[in-house]
Amino acid sequence: MRKLLTYLRPYTIVIVAALVMMFIELAIELAQPLIISIIIDEGIIAGDSDPVWRWGLLMIGLSFISLVAGVFNSFFAAHVSQSVGWQIRDDLFAKIQQFSFANLSVFSNASLTTRLTNDVTQIQNTLLMSMRIMARALALVIGGVVMAFVINWRIAIVLLVTVPILFVFLVWLFVRAGRLFRGVQKQLDVLNGIVHENLTAVRLVKAFVRRKFEGERFQRAAEQLRDRTTFAFRYVEVTMPVILLLMNIGIIGVLWLGNVNINTGNATTGEVVAIINYSTRTAMALGVFSMIIMNLSRAKASSDRIFEVLESKVDEFENDKRVDDKAIVGDIRMANVSFSYNSSPNQVLRNIDLSFEPKSSVAILGATGSGKTTLMQLIARLYEPDDGQIYIDQSSIDTYPLKNYREQIGYVPQAVTLLSGTIRDVVSFGHKHADDEQIAKALQAAQIYETVIGLPEGLDTLIGQRGVNLSGGQKQRLTIARALLRKPSILLLDDSTSALDATTEMNLLKAIEAYGCTTVIVTQKVSTTKAMDQVILLNNGEIESSGTHEDLLNRSAIYREIYESQHERGIPNEKSNESPILLRLEKVKSDARSKQASR
Ligand SMILES: Nc1ncnc2c1ncn2[C@@H]1O[C@H](COP(=O)(O)OP(=O)(O)OP(=O)(O)O)[C@@H](O)[C@H]1O
Ligand SMILES: [Mg+2]
């Protein structure tokens, strides 16, 4: 919570103004019982209507001032809380944008969303409350007790018993309920996570007929939230009855002491009325504390969660050595590179040595989980290797300014992610100033141009969030066009051609060749590896073998196995010059023809 102060500093003047207004309101409120006591003693009991009029009018005048002060206080408090909330949100968003992949794996999307929305709102509400209600309640308790003593200490002495008891009770409650409410907030996070996950994966849930299961998971979390909240509120609800009990005991004490002192001539009726008035106001102000406790503990949880994001170290490895931007030709070399995620002992890549010529094409092949994506991410510098070095154009990868380096990389991740917007927006995501001609060229290369111009609105076609109204293969090709539009020096396609048929894939590879970039393609298809200058076969984080397709056929038993498994009857047609995949395609077509003929 203390960290919030840095956000409040720019608003010091407005906060002081809000507090001054609050004190004016409070001073008037505290003066009222005093005025009432004077009206009783000098007017009503003395039978003189003059003081009643005089003091009555003063009270009305003061009430009006109090009203104006209250309005201004609200105005200032709202300004501060909204501005601070906006600033925190802005900073949070900027911070999340800076996050590296490693940072992003620490926080789930759902939790970041809650932090940006609920948590900031909680802070805003608490700030507003602290300037409107909390400061006032605290000042009212102190002011009420002081005023009671000023009026008549012989009676006010009762407050010295009741107020400390209440105070100790509230501190105990604060500690206890505070912890419970933080638990409530955590459970709310869990629930939000489930909702978020289900909304993003609603199709998956339906397809796998998991509605019942997911429904039950949600219900369990919701029930836990209900139970925890109910339990926490029980503590808060007990406050009011305790306060009322002590207040009533206090009033009886005041009446009894008042009676004694009036008889001995040490007090007046008006004074007794005034002190009762002060003690009820003090008790009510203390009652507000239960609400404050709830709010503060929620705000504490929220602020902890916000600052956890704001203060997390961004391990985006931008170098400080002020090096100039450099154009990359696309020579890639890895020397003895090893890597593990989050420094776990489990090494995902081990002793990788490889070298890609500029403008050459490389296929990465390997079983699932063998480290293909990880290798691509290391080349894109989304992670740093634990050991070894990566060289780009003979210079260590970390001698390039990160932004400059990434601008020259066209990365098509394995999972298709398209932001919402028109096809033009989506494709020009990495190159905002591209004109339609450049976009068309990239779409042509990605083998999707015909499809796009076939759409009624062409480039202006809106595609929904995550591109829901496109097929998997179409989306994949848009992400390829998005990467090609940047005219990258290094193109990384992570399993991006899986949804393409053989002919389209060959056309795509040919078009990419014209871009003259070093192309690294993760693939499972031997038809692709055949067309590449070099093939790297990964096995369980290590390079099993590398070389041309023919080299690997001779050298690697695993590669041969993959090759044969993808060929009909396991016998490649050695004599034919045609690609086996095309031969297979021919066979599929002739099969279909003969089937049709037999019908
Ligand atoms: N963000 C991550 N945090 C921790 N471990 C990870 C992470 N991403 C991948 N791994 C682990 O690293 C290993 C290699 O993963 P990688 O994604 O590189 O495999 P892959 O070869 O691309 O597999 P696939 O063919 O299924 O895409 C796997 O064992 C995986 O469990
Ligand atoms: Mg992968």
Side-chain angles (χ1 to χ4, degrees):
M1 292 285 261
R2 216 164 291 138
K3 297 161 198 154
L4 266 179
L5 287 180
T6 49
Y7 278 95
L8 291 173
R9 207 157 291 142
Y11 302 98
T12 315
I13 295 175
V14 191
I15 295 171
V16 169
L19 291 180
V20 167
M21 290 299 140
M22 189 273 294
F23 275 114
I24 292 175
E25 241 188 306
L26 182 78
I28 292 170
E29 189 176 344
L30 285 176
Q32 274 170 355
L34 185 68
I35 297 174
I36 293 171
S37 86
I38 295 172
I39 292 175
I40 292 174
D41 286 343
E42 293 180 11
I44 298 169
I45 293 179
D48 183 358
S49 65
D50 244 25
V52 178
W53 277 110
R54 213 175 34 243
W55 290 102
L57 280 175
L58 180 70
M59 251 178 93
I60 292 172
L62 285 176
S63 300
F64 184 72
I65 295 173
S66 160
L67 177 100
V68 174
V71 169
F72 274 100
N73 169 276
S74 296
F75 179 78
F76 293 141
H79 174 72
V80 173
S81 58
Q82 291 306 315
S83 307
V84 168
W86 166 79
Q87 187 64 51
I88 293 177
R89 228 169 238 150
D90 214 39
D91 289 355
L92 268 177
F93 193 78
K95 184 80 181 189
I96 295 169
Q97 294 281 311
Q98 287 172 20
F99 269 9
S100 68
F101 274 40
N103 286 124
L104 284 170
S105 63
V106 177
F107 303 101
S108 70
N109 279 355
S111 137
L112 286 178
T113 313
T114 328
R115 286 169 215 238
L116 265 166
T117 50
N118 282 16
D119 284 336
V120 176
T121 307
Q122 189 66 48
I123 299 284
Q124 282 176 320
N125 289 345
T126 308
L127 280 179
L128 186 71
M129 252 187 85
S130 37
M131 277 174 283
R132 285 283 308 140
I133 303 164
M134 288 182 210
R136 187 188 150 90
L138 199 67
L140 193 60
V141 170
I142 299 167
V145 173
V146 170
M147 284 301 284
F149 271 87
V150 168
I151 285 178
N152 196 319
W153 66 267
R154 285 187 180 84
I155 307 171
I157 213 131
V158 175
L159 293 180
L160 279 192
V161 182
T162 51
V163 173
I165 293 177
L166 269 178
F167 191 74
V168 169
F169 167 71
L170 285 169
V171 168
W172 170 80
L173 192 77
F174 187 85
V175 175
R176 182 99 194 107
R179 209 175 307 136
L180 290 174
F181 275 109
R182 278 195 285 284
V184 167
Q185 200 68 23
K186 262 207 191 107
Q187 188 60 32
L188 192 65
D189 212 21
V190 172
L191 193 73
N192 275 333
I194 295 175
V195 172
H196 194 274
E197 230 176 80
N198 269 280
L199 287 180
T200 39
V202 63
R203 286 178 188 79
L204 190 76
V205 173
K206 278 186 198 283
F208 278 73
V209 203
R210 295 281 279 178
R211 244 164 70 186
K212 188 152 171 283
F213 175 84
E214 286 299 320
E216 280 164 5
R217 196 158 77 103
F218 174 81
Q219 208 170 2
R220 264 197 308 278
E223 270 167 16
Q224 257 189 35
L225 177 66
R226 180 196 62 199
D227 295 345
R228 278 184 180 213
T229 315
T230 320
F231 189 67
F233 266 106
R234 234 167 252 162
Y235 276 88
V236 175
E237 276 152 14
V238 81
T239 353
M240 227 34 219
V242 171
I243 288 174
L244 284 175
L245 177 75
L246 276 162
M247 187 181 86
N248 286 330
I249 291 173
I251 288 174
I252 292 168
V254 169
L255 284 174
W256 179 71
L257 271 182
N259 184 35
V260 171
N261 282 301
I262 289 173
N263 287 340
T264 54
N266 283 327
T268 64
T269 318
E271 283 171 3
V272 175
V273 172
I275 290 174
I276 287 178
N277 212 318
Y278 283 123
S279 49
T280 48
R281 277 170 204 253
T282 307
M284 285 305 149
L286 282 169
V288 173
F289 273 86
S290 58
M291 204 163 74
I292 294 174
I293 289 164
M294 210 167 67
N295 240 285
L296 277 183
S297 34
R298 288 196 151 175
K300 164 123 187 28
S302 288
S303 119
D304 285 351
R305 284 143 41 88
I306 286 171
F307 282 97
E308 193 188 349
V309 174
L310 285 179
E311 288 174 352
S312 56
K313 208 174 139 276
V314 176
D315 36 309
E316 188 82 302
F317 11 77
E318 182 63 285
N319 48 9
D320 294 323
K321 313 162 217 157
R322 291 265 138 237
V323 278
D324 294 328
D325 287 1
K326 277 189 272 188
I328 293 172
V329 184
D331 183 276
I332 305 170
R333 193 159 70 81
M334 285 197 183
N336 208 19
V337 165
S338 297
F339 177 78
S340 61
Y341 283 100
N342 304 326
S343 319
S344 81
N346 226 338
Q347 282 198 325
V348 174
L349 290 176
R350 275 181 306 278
N351 310 97
I352 301 289
D353 282 303
L354 49 78
S355 168
F356 305 158
E357 296 274 309
K359 305 187 195 310
S360 67
S361 59
V362 183
I364 314 261
L365 193 76
T368 167
S370 56
K372 303 180 297 292
T373 299
T374 311
L375 189 74
M376 299 290 251
Q377 288 177 336
L378 284 180
I379 297 176
R381 212 174 167 221
L382 294 166
Y383 291 99
E384 296 260 89
D386 300 343
D387 281 312
Q389 270 291 350
I390 303 175
Y391 299 95
I392 303 295
D393 295 355
Q394 282 85 41
S395 308
S396 171
I397 196 168
D398 55 20
T399 57
Y400 294 90
L402 197 59
K403 184 166 166 285
N404 163 242
Y405 179 67
R406 290 222 184 114
E407 268 167 2
Q408 300 181 69
I409 303 267
Y411 180 40
V412 183
Q414 190 168 13
V416 175
T417 316
L418 295 172
L419 277 83
S420 51
T422 63
I423 291 186
R424 184 184 288 104
D425 297 339
V426 163
V427 175
S428 62
F429 181 69
H431 183 4
K432 281 288 162 223
H433 307 294
D435 57 34
D436 282 5
E437 200 181 322
Q438 289 169 304
I439 294 177
K441 231 185 119 213
L443 289 171
Q444 265 160 2
Q447 312 297 313
I448 182 89
Y449 184 65
E450 304 298 323
T451 316
V452 171
I453 54 162
L455 294 168
E457 292 178 67
L459 280 178
D460 291 313
T461 307
L462 269 175
I463 60 170
Q465 203 180 9
R466 286 160 198 273
V468 269
N469 42 15
L470 288 177
S471 80
Q474 289 167 337
K475 279 190 278 186
Q476 215 170 34
R477 274 177 275 171
L478 283 186
T479 60
I480 297 173
R482 179 174 69 187
L484 285 175
L485 186 64
R486 306 182 87 175
K487 292 229 170 69
S489 303
I490 297 173
L491 179 68
L492 305 170
L493 301 180
D494 191 347
D495 218 2
S496 314
T497 55
S498 58
L500 303 184
D501 62 77
T503 319
T504 314
E505 186 180 5
M506 285 308 146
N507 290 339
L508 171 74
L509 294 180
K510 235 177 267 160
I512 288 175
E513 220 180 304
Y515 274 77
C517 48
T518 309
T519 309
V520 187
I521 298 186
V522 167
T523 183
Q524 304 288 358
K525 295 189 279 189
V526 180
S527 59
T528 318
T529 60
K530 272 193 76 166
M532 300 276 128
D533 300 332
Q534 193 186 159
V535 183
I536 306 269
L537 177 59
L538 276 183
N539 184 24
N540 201 13
E542 287 176 357
I543 295 184
E544 202 265 349
S545 48
S546 67
T548 62
H549 166 73
E550 277 74 25
D551 291 342
L552 260 67
L553 268 186
N554 292 330
R555 241 186 275 143
S556 164
I558 303 182
Y559 189 76
R560 255 197 316 274
E561 208 176 295
I562 300 171
Y563 180 67
E564 281 163 12
S565 74
Q566 292 188 15
H567 280 72
E568 290 200 312
R569 288 170 239 114
I571 312 157
N573 191 341
E574 291 292 348
K575 280 174 212 114
S576 164
N577 286 330
E578 282 186 77
S579 114
I581 200 85
L582 289 181
L583 284 177
R584 211 166 110 199
L585 212 75
E586 272 311 308
K587 180 164 188 320
V588 172
K589 277 185 198 156
S590 69
D591 281 356
R593 269 196 301 272
S594 56
K595 233 186 222 160
Q596 237 173 10
S598 69
R599 264 204 216 124

